[in-house]
Structure formats: structure tokens, C-alpha cells
């Protein structure tokens, strides 16, 4: 259960950089080995996959579309952030095996980074960095096939969880400390972060609405409506 009123000792814990580094290095090493085991065909540009096909269409035709082997025109089949990231790589390097391999490596690096964040997330939400270490190592030993932008979405969600945990640790202080009300710029930045995340995974909108509803329900101060409005904006 998330602790909304962390005790002083927990809130003063230092960043668990050793645990985060161990998880990140294990995850990165396992994924580097995983890439050496992939067939060469998996590391080449291939329009058989929707993500790659849309990226090809963006570079070659300037059209966000054609996710299938047969051209179908404009599409809303995938959220735009992952295809645009791949298209940018193709635009810089060319639609080559090198660019596709770098895209694979980048997605696997995102996986390693978000797993490396788990000890910190565990600490910030009151579970302890040890829980994050166990969960991070479990995930680190199981590489996931980089497909349609799940790695980018996971990284954005991990960063948003950290931002929310930091926000709540200030709003819901223990006895003897008043709430640390978020500044307008911080509320706008959090909303912008969620807005960016929607373009990697639209399902995060339910997470966002749940977060806003929970903060409005739990915050005791009158400024919560203004703060929530800035996040929504």
C-alpha cells in the first residue's frame, strides 16, 4: 500500500544509486546478449511490422499512415511518438540495418533504464528500495521483444510515477510539517509530461484521470482545484 504520510526516516533516505545501478547493469548486459542472439532479419528495416511501416511512410512519403504491407493511407493504428522517433532515426542515418539496429538498442536501453528506476520508485512510494531491487532484477533477467513502443511508454510512466510520488511526499507530510504546495510551473510540467506520455500510450489517460481524482479527494487545501486545473491544462 502506498504511504501518503511517510515517516521522517523514510522520506530522508538517500537515492539508492547502488541498487539502481546494479539493476540497470544487469538489465543492459542481458539485453546486449539478447541482441547478439537475434536473427539478422530482425535487425533490418522491415515493413511487415506496423511501427516500422509507419516510419517508412513518414520518411518516404511524408504521410503518417500505411501500417500494413498493403498501402492503406492515413492511420491511427499506433500512437505517434514511437513511429516518429524511428522515422527521425531513419531520416538522420537512412533506412538501413544500422539505423534499425540502433533503434533496437535504444528500445532495450529504455527497458534497462526503467528497470533501474524500480528501487527508487519503491523507496519513493513507501515500499522500500529492496522491493524495487527484487522486482528490477526479476525483470532484468527477462528481456522483452521490442515491438510497438512499449519500452518508451514504460520509461515515461516510470518517470511520471516518480514525479507524482515526489509531489505527494510534499503534500501529505507527517505530523509537525505543513503541506508543501506545488508551484504552478510544477503542475504545468506534470501535465505536459502526461500529455507527452499519451502520445506513447493513450491508455495512460485512465492513469491520469485516476491521479487527478485521487489528489482532489485527498488534498486538504483549497488550492487543489487550481493545481488540478493547471495539470489538466
Amino acid at each position: 500500500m502506498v504511504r501518503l504520510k511517510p515517516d521522517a526516516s523514510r522520506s530522508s533516505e538517500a537515492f539508492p544509486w547502488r541498487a539502481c545501478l546494479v539493476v540497470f547493469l544487469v538489465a543492459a548486459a542481458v539485453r546486449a546478449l539478447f541482441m547478439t542472439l537475434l536473427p539478422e532479419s530482425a535487425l533490418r528495416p522491415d515493413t511487415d511490422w506496423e511501427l516500422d511501416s509507419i516510419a517508412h511512410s513518414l520518411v518516404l512519403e511524408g504521410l503518417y499512415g500505411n501500417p500494413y504491407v498493403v498501402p492503406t493511407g492515413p492511420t491511427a493504428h499506433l500512437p505517434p511518438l514511437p513511429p516518429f522517433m524511428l522515422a527521425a532515426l531513419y531520416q538522420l542515418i537512412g533506412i538501413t540495418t544500422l539505423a534499425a539496429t540502433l533503434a533496437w538498442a535504444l528500445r532495450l536501453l529504455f527497458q534497462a533504464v526503467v528497470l533501474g528506476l524500480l528501487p527508487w520508485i519503491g523507496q519513493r512510494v513507501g515500499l522500500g528500495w529492496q522491493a524495487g531491487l527484487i522486482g528490477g532484477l526479476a525483470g532484468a533477467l527477462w528481456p522483452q521483444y521490442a515491438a510497438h513502443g512499449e519500452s518508451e511508454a514504460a520509461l515515461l510512466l516510470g518517470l511520471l510515477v516518480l514525479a507524482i510520488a515526489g509531489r505527494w511526499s510534499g503534500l501529505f507530510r507527517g505530523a509537525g510539517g505543513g503541506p508543501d504546495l506545488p508551484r504552478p510551473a510544477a503542475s504545468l510540467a506534470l501535465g505536459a509530461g502526461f500529455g507527452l506520455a499519451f502520445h506513447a500510450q493513450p491508455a495512460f489517460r485512465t492513469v491520469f484521470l485516476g491521479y487527478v481524482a485521487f489528489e482532489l479527494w485527498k488534498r486538504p487545501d483549497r488550492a487543489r482545484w487550481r493545481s488540478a486545473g493547471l495539470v489538466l491544462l
Side-chain angles (χ1 to χ4, degrees), residues 67-95:
Y68 305 112
V69 176
V70 177
T72 55
T75 185
H77 186 69
L78 289 180
L81 186 59
F84 271 106
M85 291 176 63
L86 181 57
L89 200 56
Y90 283 161
Q91 191 72 43
L92 288 172
I93 301 176
I95 302 178

PDB file of all heavy atoms in Angstrom, residues 67-95:
ATOM      1  N   PRO A  67       0.229   1.358 -42.268  1.00  0.00           N
ATOM      2  CA  PRO A  67       0.830   0.479 -41.268  1.00  0.00           C
ATOM      3  C   PRO A  67       0.941  -0.976 -41.711  1.00  0.00           C
ATOM      4  O   PRO A  67       1.599  -1.770 -41.023  1.00  0.00           O
ATOM      5  CB  PRO A  67      -0.121   0.617 -40.079  1.00  0.00           C
ATOM      6  CG  PRO A  67      -1.449   0.892 -40.698  1.00  0.00           C
ATOM      7  CD  PRO A  67      -1.148   1.740 -41.907  1.00  0.00           C
ATOM      8  N   TYR A  68       0.316  -1.305 -42.826  1.00  0.00           N
ATOM      9  CA  TYR A  68       0.286  -2.705 -43.252  1.00  0.00           C
ATOM     10  C   TYR A  68       1.108  -2.909 -44.521  1.00  0.00           C
ATOM     11  O   TYR A  68       1.572  -1.946 -45.139  1.00  0.00           O
ATOM     12  CB  TYR A  68      -1.161  -3.155 -43.484  1.00  0.00           C
ATOM     13  CG  TYR A  68      -2.041  -2.922 -42.279  1.00  0.00           C
ATOM     14  CD1 TYR A  68      -3.061  -1.971 -42.316  1.00  0.00           C
ATOM     15  CD2 TYR A  68      -1.846  -3.630 -41.093  1.00  0.00           C
ATOM     16  CE1 TYR A  68      -3.855  -1.742 -41.208  1.00  0.00           C
ATOM     17  CE2 TYR A  68      -2.633  -3.410 -39.980  1.00  0.00           C
ATOM     18  CZ  TYR A  68      -3.638  -2.459 -40.045  1.00  0.00           C
ATOM     19  OH  TYR A  68      -4.425  -2.228 -38.952  1.00  0.00           O
ATOM     20  N   VAL A  69       1.266  -4.150 -44.892  1.00  0.00           N
ATOM     21  CA  VAL A  69       2.046  -4.474 -46.090  1.00  0.00           C
ATOM     22  C   VAL A  69       1.397  -3.835 -47.320  1.00  0.00           C
ATOM     23  O   VAL A  69       2.076  -3.319 -48.204  1.00  0.00           O
ATOM     24  CB  VAL A  69       2.148  -6.001 -46.267  1.00  0.00           C
ATOM     25  CG1 VAL A  69       2.875  -6.328 -47.568  1.00  0.00           C
ATOM     26  CG2 VAL A  69       2.888  -6.622 -45.077  1.00  0.00           C
ATOM     27  N   VAL A  70       0.072  -3.853 -47.394  1.00  0.00           N
ATOM     28  CA  VAL A  70      -0.662  -3.206 -48.476  1.00  0.00           C
ATOM     29  C   VAL A  70      -0.942  -1.756 -48.078  1.00  0.00           C
ATOM     30  O   VAL A  70      -1.456  -1.511 -46.981  1.00  0.00           O
ATOM     31  CB  VAL A  70      -1.993  -3.937 -48.753  1.00  0.00           C
ATOM     32  CG1 VAL A  70      -2.783  -3.222 -49.837  1.00  0.00           C
ATOM     33  CG2 VAL A  70      -1.727  -5.383 -49.148  1.00  0.00           C
ATOM     34  N   PRO A  71      -0.589  -0.760 -48.885  1.00  0.00           N
ATOM     35  CA  PRO A  71      -0.842   0.647 -48.531  1.00  0.00           C
ATOM     36  C   PRO A  71      -2.316   0.899 -48.252  1.00  0.00           C
ATOM     37  O   PRO A  71      -3.190   0.500 -49.023  1.00  0.00           O
ATOM     38  CB  PRO A  71      -0.371   1.415 -49.764  1.00  0.00           C
ATOM     39  CG  PRO A  71       0.615   0.504 -50.421  1.00  0.00           C
ATOM     40  CD  PRO A  71       0.117  -0.884 -50.175  1.00  0.00           C
ATOM     41  N   THR A  72      -2.598   1.573 -47.131  1.00  0.00           N
ATOM     42  CA  THR A  72      -3.980   1.840 -46.725  1.00  0.00           C
ATOM     43  C   THR A  72      -4.237   3.311 -46.439  1.00  0.00           C
ATOM     44  O   THR A  72      -5.332   3.674 -46.028  1.00  0.00           O
ATOM     45  CB  THR A  72      -4.331   1.032 -45.462  1.00  0.00           C
ATOM     46  OG1 THR A  72      -3.380   1.322 -44.436  1.00  0.00           O
ATOM     47  CG2 THR A  72      -4.319  -0.463 -45.758  1.00  0.00           C
ATOM     48  N   GLY A  73      -3.239   4.172 -46.633  1.00  0.00           N
ATOM     49  CA  GLY A  73      -3.442   5.595 -46.400  1.00  0.00           C
ATOM     50  C   GLY A  73      -3.251   5.989 -44.952  1.00  0.00           C
ATOM     51  O   GLY A  73      -2.659   5.237 -44.166  1.00  0.00           O
ATOM     52  N   PRO A  74      -3.734   7.182 -44.559  1.00  0.00           N
ATOM     53  CA  PRO A  74      -3.552   7.675 -43.186  1.00  0.00           C
ATOM     54  C   PRO A  74      -4.092   6.691 -42.155  1.00  0.00           C
ATOM     55  O   PRO A  74      -5.047   5.942 -42.426  1.00  0.00           O
ATOM     56  CB  PRO A  74      -4.338   8.986 -43.175  1.00  0.00           C
ATOM     57  CG  PRO A  74      -4.368   9.419 -44.610  1.00  0.00           C
ATOM     58  CD  PRO A  74      -4.444   8.145 -45.411  1.00  0.00           C
ATOM     59  N   THR A  75      -3.492   6.719 -40.972  1.00  0.00           N
ATOM     60  CA  THR A  75      -3.864   5.727 -39.963  1.00  0.00           C
ATOM     61  C   THR A  75      -3.841   6.339 -38.564  1.00  0.00           C
ATOM     62  O   THR A  75      -3.208   7.365 -38.330  1.00  0.00           O
ATOM     63  CB  THR A  75      -2.885   4.542 -39.992  1.00  0.00           C
ATOM     64  OG1 THR A  75      -3.346   3.533 -39.086  1.00  0.00           O
ATOM     65  CG2 THR A  75      -1.483   4.964 -39.567  1.00  0.00           C
ATOM     66  N   ALA A  76      -4.573   5.702 -37.661  1.00  0.00           N
ATOM     67  CA  ALA A  76      -4.478   5.987 -36.226  1.00  0.00           C
ATOM     68  C   ALA A  76      -4.178   4.682 -35.495  1.00  0.00           C
ATOM     69  O   ALA A  76      -4.518   4.511 -34.337  1.00  0.00           O
ATOM     70  CB  ALA A  76      -5.774   6.598 -35.717  1.00  0.00           C
ATOM     71  N   HIS A  77      -3.515   3.774 -36.202  1.00  0.00           N
ATOM     72  CA  HIS A  77      -3.310   2.429 -35.667  1.00  0.00           C
ATOM     73  C   HIS A  77      -2.365   2.418 -34.476  1.00  0.00           C
ATOM     74  O   HIS A  77      -2.554   1.642 -33.540  1.00  0.00           O
ATOM     75  CB  HIS A  77      -2.761   1.519 -36.771  1.00  0.00           C
ATOM     76  CG  HIS A  77      -2.656   0.082 -36.354  1.00  0.00           C
ATOM     77  ND1 HIS A  77      -3.759  -0.702 -36.134  1.00  0.00           N
ATOM     78  CD2 HIS A  77      -1.583  -0.700 -36.098  1.00  0.00           C
ATOM     79  CE1 HIS A  77      -3.372  -1.915 -35.772  1.00  0.00           C
ATOM     80  NE2 HIS A  77      -2.062  -1.936 -35.741  1.00  0.00           N
ATOM     81  N   LEU A  78      -1.341   3.267 -34.490  1.00  0.00           N
ATOM     82  CA  LEU A  78      -0.392   3.342 -33.386  1.00  0.00           C
ATOM     83  C   LEU A  78      -0.310   4.771 -32.875  1.00  0.00           C
ATOM     84  O   LEU A  78      -0.504   5.722 -33.638  1.00  0.00           O
ATOM     85  CB  LEU A  78       1.013   2.902 -33.846  1.00  0.00           C
ATOM     86  CG  LEU A  78       1.231   1.429 -34.155  1.00  0.00           C
ATOM     87  CD1 LEU A  78       2.675   1.206 -34.584  1.00  0.00           C
ATOM     88  CD2 LEU A  78       0.898   0.545 -32.962  1.00  0.00           C
ATOM     89  N   PRO A  79      -0.019   4.961 -31.578  1.00  0.00           N
ATOM     90  CA  PRO A  79       0.244   6.313 -31.086  1.00  0.00           C
ATOM     91  C   PRO A  79       1.488   6.872 -31.752  1.00  0.00           C
ATOM     92  O   PRO A  79       2.405   6.122 -32.125  1.00  0.00           O
ATOM     93  CB  PRO A  79       0.439   6.122 -29.579  1.00  0.00           C
ATOM     94  CG  PRO A  79       0.781   4.686 -29.407  1.00  0.00           C
ATOM     95  CD  PRO A  79       0.081   3.952 -30.506  1.00  0.00           C
ATOM     96  N   PRO A  80       1.583   8.181 -31.932  1.00  0.00           N
ATOM     97  CA  PRO A  80       2.579   8.742 -32.844  1.00  0.00           C
ATOM     98  C   PRO A  80       4.018   8.777 -32.348  1.00  0.00           C
ATOM     99  O   PRO A  80       4.933   8.794 -33.166  1.00  0.00           O
ATOM    100  CB  PRO A  80       2.066  10.171 -33.077  1.00  0.00           C
ATOM    101  CG  PRO A  80       1.265  10.487 -31.863  1.00  0.00           C
ATOM    102  CD  PRO A  80       0.633   9.198 -31.450  1.00  0.00           C
ATOM    103  N   LEU A  81       4.257   8.817 -31.040  1.00  0.00           N
ATOM    104  CA  LEU A  81       5.618   9.042 -30.569  1.00  0.00           C
ATOM    105  C   LEU A  81       6.616   7.980 -31.042  1.00  0.00           C
ATOM    106  O   LEU A  81       7.673   8.327 -31.595  1.00  0.00           O
ATOM    107  CB  LEU A  81       5.636   9.162 -29.047  1.00  0.00           C
ATOM    108  CG  LEU A  81       6.983   9.532 -28.425  1.00  0.00           C
ATOM    109  CD1 LEU A  81       7.488  10.874 -28.961  1.00  0.00           C
ATOM    110  CD2 LEU A  81       6.878   9.584 -26.900  1.00  0.00           C
ATOM    111  N   PRO A  82       6.354   6.680 -30.865  1.00  0.00           N
ATOM    112  CA  PRO A  82       7.340   5.684 -31.316  1.00  0.00           C
ATOM    113  C   PRO A  82       7.619   5.725 -32.811  1.00  0.00           C
ATOM    114  O   PRO A  82       8.800   5.702 -33.215  1.00  0.00           O
ATOM    115  CB  PRO A  82       6.721   4.351 -30.872  1.00  0.00           C
ATOM    116  CG  PRO A  82       5.847   4.709 -29.711  1.00  0.00           C
ATOM    117  CD  PRO A  82       5.280   6.043 -30.066  1.00  0.00           C
ATOM    118  N   PRO A  83       6.602   5.797 -33.706  1.00  0.00           N
ATOM    119  CA  PRO A  83       6.926   5.893 -35.135  1.00  0.00           C
ATOM    120  C   PRO A  83       7.714   7.135 -35.500  1.00  0.00           C
ATOM    121  O   PRO A  83       8.614   7.083 -36.344  1.00  0.00           O
ATOM    122  CB  PRO A  83       5.542   5.884 -35.813  1.00  0.00           C
ATOM    123  CG  PRO A  83       4.644   5.217 -34.847  1.00  0.00           C
ATOM    124  CD  PRO A  83       5.145   5.631 -33.509  1.00  0.00           C
ATOM    125  N   PHE A  84       7.404   8.264 -34.873  1.00  0.00           N
ATOM    126  CA  PHE A  84       8.150   9.485 -35.184  1.00  0.00           C
ATOM    127  C   PHE A  84       9.599   9.379 -34.720  1.00  0.00           C
ATOM    128  O   PHE A  84      10.511   9.892 -35.380  1.00  0.00           O
ATOM    129  CB  PHE A  84       7.471  10.700 -34.548  1.00  0.00           C
ATOM    130  CG  PHE A  84       6.442  11.342 -35.427  1.00  0.00           C
ATOM    131  CD1 PHE A  84       5.088  11.194 -35.162  1.00  0.00           C
ATOM    132  CD2 PHE A  84       6.815  12.094 -36.528  1.00  0.00           C
ATOM    133  CE1 PHE A  84       4.133  11.780 -35.981  1.00  0.00           C
ATOM    134  CE2 PHE A  84       5.884  12.681 -37.350  1.00  0.00           C
ATOM    135  CZ  PHE A  84       4.518  12.530 -37.080  1.00  0.00           C
ATOM    136  N   MET A  85       9.842   8.727 -33.579  1.00  0.00           N
ATOM    137  CA  MET A  85      11.213   8.528 -33.104  1.00  0.00           C
ATOM    138  C   MET A  85      12.001   7.662 -34.092  1.00  0.00           C
ATOM    139  O   MET A  85      13.149   7.965 -34.435  1.00  0.00           O
ATOM    140  CB  MET A  85      11.212   7.889 -31.720  1.00  0.00           C
ATOM    141  CG  MET A  85      10.708   8.803 -30.616  1.00  0.00           C
ATOM    142  SD  MET A  85      10.615   7.982 -29.004  1.00  0.00           S
ATOM    143  CE  MET A  85      12.348   7.595 -28.726  1.00  0.00           C
ATOM    144  N   LEU A  86      11.385   6.581 -34.559  1.00  0.00           N
ATOM    145  CA  LEU A  86      12.061   5.711 -35.526  1.00  0.00           C
ATOM    146  C   LEU A  86      12.258   6.432 -36.850  1.00  0.00           C
ATOM    147  O   LEU A  86      13.326   6.321 -37.482  1.00  0.00           O
ATOM    148  CB  LEU A  86      11.239   4.434 -35.726  1.00  0.00           C
ATOM    149  CG  LEU A  86      11.819   3.401 -36.698  1.00  0.00           C
ATOM    150  CD1 LEU A  86      13.227   2.971 -36.283  1.00  0.00           C
ATOM    151  CD2 LEU A  86      10.895   2.183 -36.797  1.00  0.00           C
ATOM    152  N   ALA A  87      11.263   7.192 -37.280  1.00  0.00           N
ATOM    153  CA  ALA A  87      11.389   7.940 -38.532  1.00  0.00           C
ATOM    154  C   ALA A  87      12.521   8.966 -38.448  1.00  0.00           C
ATOM    155  O   ALA A  87      13.252   9.186 -39.422  1.00  0.00           O
ATOM    156  CB  ALA A  87      10.068   8.626 -38.870  1.00  0.00           C
ATOM    157  N   ALA A  88      12.671   9.602 -37.278  1.00  0.00           N
ATOM    158  CA  ALA A  88      13.760  10.572 -37.105  1.00  0.00           C
ATOM    159  C   ALA A  88      15.112   9.885 -37.244  1.00  0.00           C
ATOM    160  O   ALA A  88      16.050  10.435 -37.844  1.00  0.00           O
ATOM    161  CB  ALA A  88      13.645  11.250 -35.743  1.00  0.00           C
ATOM    162  N   LEU A  89      15.225   8.676 -36.707  1.00  0.00           N
ATOM    163  CA  LEU A  89      16.472   7.922 -36.838  1.00  0.00           C
ATOM    164  C   LEU A  89      16.732   7.557 -38.295  1.00  0.00           C
ATOM    165  O   LEU A  89      17.869   7.672 -38.787  1.00  0.00           O
ATOM    166  CB  LEU A  89      16.385   6.664 -35.969  1.00  0.00           C
ATOM    167  CG  LEU A  89      17.696   5.981 -35.566  1.00  0.00           C
ATOM    168  CD1 LEU A  89      18.627   6.941 -34.852  1.00  0.00           C
ATOM    169  CD2 LEU A  89      17.396   4.779 -34.676  1.00  0.00           C
ATOM    170  N   TYR A  90      15.695   7.116 -38.998  1.00  0.00           N
ATOM    171  CA  TYR A  90      15.842   6.800 -40.421  1.00  0.00           C
ATOM    172  C   TYR A  90      16.204   8.051 -41.227  1.00  0.00           C
ATOM    173  O   TYR A  90      16.972   7.977 -42.194  1.00  0.00           O
ATOM    174  CB  TYR A  90      14.547   6.205 -40.974  1.00  0.00           C
ATOM    175  CG  TYR A  90      14.311   4.758 -40.600  1.00  0.00           C
ATOM    176  CD1 TYR A  90      13.041   4.194 -40.674  1.00  0.00           C
ATOM    177  CD2 TYR A  90      15.360   3.940 -40.170  1.00  0.00           C
ATOM    178  CE1 TYR A  90      12.812   2.866 -40.346  1.00  0.00           C
ATOM    179  CE2 TYR A  90      15.145   2.617 -39.831  1.00  0.00           C
ATOM    180  CZ  TYR A  90      13.862   2.092 -39.919  1.00  0.00           C
ATOM    181  OH  TYR A  90      13.644   0.775 -39.599  1.00  0.00           O
ATOM    182  N   GLN A  91      15.646   9.184 -40.846  1.00  0.00           N
ATOM    183  CA  GLN A  91      15.929  10.416 -41.572  1.00  0.00           C
ATOM    184  C   GLN A  91      17.392  10.831 -41.391  1.00  0.00           C
ATOM    185  O   GLN A  91      18.027  11.332 -42.323  1.00  0.00           O
ATOM    186  CB  GLN A  91      15.002  11.533 -41.076  1.00  0.00           C
ATOM    187  CG  GLN A  91      15.019  12.789 -41.915  1.00  0.00           C
ATOM    188  CD  GLN A  91      14.334  12.599 -43.261  1.00  0.00           C
ATOM    189  OE1 GLN A  91      13.267  11.994 -43.340  1.00  0.00           O
ATOM    190  NE2 GLN A  91      14.949  13.089 -44.322  1.00  0.00           N
ATOM    191  N   LEU A  92      17.929  10.616 -40.198  1.00  0.00           N
ATOM    192  CA  LEU A  92      19.304  11.009 -39.906  1.00  0.00           C
ATOM    193  C   LEU A  92      20.323  10.058 -40.515  1.00  0.00           C
ATOM    194  O   LEU A  92      21.357  10.484 -41.039  1.00  0.00           O
ATOM    195  CB  LEU A  92      19.517  11.082 -38.392  1.00  0.00           C
ATOM    196  CG  LEU A  92      18.845  12.248 -37.661  1.00  0.00           C
ATOM    197  CD1 LEU A  92      18.985  12.073 -36.144  1.00  0.00           C
ATOM    198  CD2 LEU A  92      19.453  13.572 -38.087  1.00  0.00           C
ATOM    199  N   ILE A  93      20.042   8.750 -40.442  1.00  0.00           N
ATOM    200  CA  ILE A  93      21.032   7.738 -40.829  1.00  0.00           C
ATOM    201  C   ILE A  93      20.695   7.083 -42.160  1.00  0.00           C
ATOM    202  O   ILE A  93      21.587   6.639 -42.886  1.00  0.00           O
ATOM    203  CB  ILE A  93      21.160   6.665 -39.726  1.00  0.00           C
ATOM    204  CG1 ILE A  93      21.576   7.329 -38.404  1.00  0.00           C
ATOM    205  CG2 ILE A  93      22.161   5.585 -40.091  1.00  0.00           C
ATOM    206  CD1 ILE A  93      21.634   6.380 -37.232  1.00  0.00           C
ATOM    207  N   GLY A  94      19.419   7.080 -42.491  1.00  0.00           N
ATOM    208  CA  GLY A  94      18.976   6.351 -43.674  1.00  0.00           C
ATOM    209  C   GLY A  94      18.232   5.096 -43.251  1.00  0.00           C
ATOM    210  O   GLY A  94      18.404   4.599 -42.127  1.00  0.00           O
ATOM    211  N   ILE A  95      17.411   4.595 -44.144  1.00  0.00           N
ATOM    212  CA  ILE A  95      16.654   3.371 -43.844  1.00  0.00           C
ATOM    213  C   ILE A  95      17.600   2.197 -44.071  1.00  0.00           C
ATOM    214  O   ILE A  95      17.611   1.549 -45.124  1.00  0.00           O
ATOM    215  CB  ILE A  95      15.392   3.282 -44.724  1.00  0.00           C
ATOM    216  CG1 ILE A  95      14.510   4.527 -44.510  1.00  0.00           C
ATOM    217  CG2 ILE A  95      14.588   2.032 -44.387  1.00  0.00           C
ATOM    218  CD1 ILE A  95      13.270   4.569 -45.372  1.00  0.00           C
TER     219      ILE A  95
END
